[in-house]
Amino acid sequence: MMAMLPVRSGQAERLGPRLYVENEVETRAAFWRINGYRASLYIWTSAEWEAMAERPVDAQFHPSGLWCALRVD
């Protein structure tokens, strides 16, 4: 079991993780760097996938029920 430790740098103690949403355009992607290039992982639910007019041809289905596509900028 993992315990959440409080933050003690003058901030109020946190009891759990917090969600940060930068802006609506980028909320469908997780970002990180691969060999110095920005990479994005786009994720869609099955319902969102079925509702899309144009689907990315390189997207892959994950057994958890999500569609994912990796982009390197």
Side-chain angles (χ1 to χ4, degrees):
M1 185 167 93
M2 181 187 300
M4 297 297 293
L5 299 175
V7 176
R8 296 184 181 169
S9 62
Q11 299 175 0
E13 290 188 1
R14 284 189 223 165
L15 301 176
R18 300 289 187 260
L19 176 64
Y20 172 75
V21 178
E22 187 173 323
N23 64 41
E24 190 174 325
V25 173
E26 296 183 345
T27 57
R28 296 208 176 277
F31 299 99
W32 66 96
R33 297 225 176 247
I34 297 176
N35 294 332
Y37 296 96
R38 183 175 163 148
S40 310
L41 179 63
Y42 290 87
I43 301 170
W44 301 273
T45 64
S46 293
E48 291 171 329
W49 183 259
E50 292 299 324
M52 292 175 72
E54 288 187 39
R55 300 177 185 139
V57 295
D58 61 337
Q60 296 182 3
F61 182 75
H62 189 272
S64 66
L66 300 173
W67 285 89
C68 306
L70 180 66
R71 300 286 182 267
V72 179
D73 301 334

